[in-house]
Amino acid sequence: KVLPNMTLAPPMQHLIVQLDCVDPESKKFIPVSTLVATPAASDDFVIGRKEFKALEEVDVECALALRYEANGRRGVLCFIEPTPLRRDRLMEALTILRIACH
């Protein structure tokens, strides 16, 4: 687990996710129009990963999968929120952002 930093690049076209605050190379510039957020427990790719299988049950319930496409490559990030409600709020916010910026 790492504590990522998420920001929105003007003019709201890219979500910037920095996975490591020390390493500037860890920044991902993700086109907002490609974001798809779902509960991680319902994402086939995520649930097959050993890292996800190692999570405690409480973290599984709070995990969000964020699928995206950047530079012609597809990817998925997994975020663990403190509660299922906070996971749902993040999912809603990312969905609204994608729709508003499309």
Side-chain angles (χ1 to χ4, degrees):
K1 293 181 190 178
V2 296
L3 295 173
N5 182 21
M6 289 195 306
T7 56
L8 194 55
M12 295 181 26
Q13 296 299 310
H14 289 86
L15 181 70
I16 302 169
V17 179
Q18 188 164 2
L19 302 176
D20 181 347
C21 294
V22 177
D23 181 12
E25 295 296 315
S26 73
K27 273 188 183 177
K28 294 185 180 292
F29 291 83
I30 303 170
V32 169
S33 63
T34 69
L35 299 175
V36 177
T38 60
S42 63
D43 187 290
D44 291 337
F45 177 78
V46 173
I47 61 174
R49 304 285 301 178
K50 65 180 179 182
E51 296 87 353
F52 187 77
K53 291 178 182 178
L55 290 175
E56 296 178 25
E57 189 170 332
V58 67
D59 287 339
V60 169
E61 294 173 9
C62 300
L64 175 139
L66 182 62
R67 290 191 165 273
Y68 65 92
E69 187 171 330
N71 300 321
R73 299 179 76 183
R74 293 182 180 175
V76 62
L77 296 171
C78 188
F79 296 96
I80 301 171
E81 289 295 309
T83 66
L85 181 61
R86 294 265 307 264
R87 177 208 60 201
D88 291 347
R89 293 297 173 252
L90 178 58
M91 197 165 30
E92 290 169 355
L94 290 166
T95 301
I96 290 167
L97 177 65
R98 177 178 50 86
I99 291 168
C101 296
H102 192 58

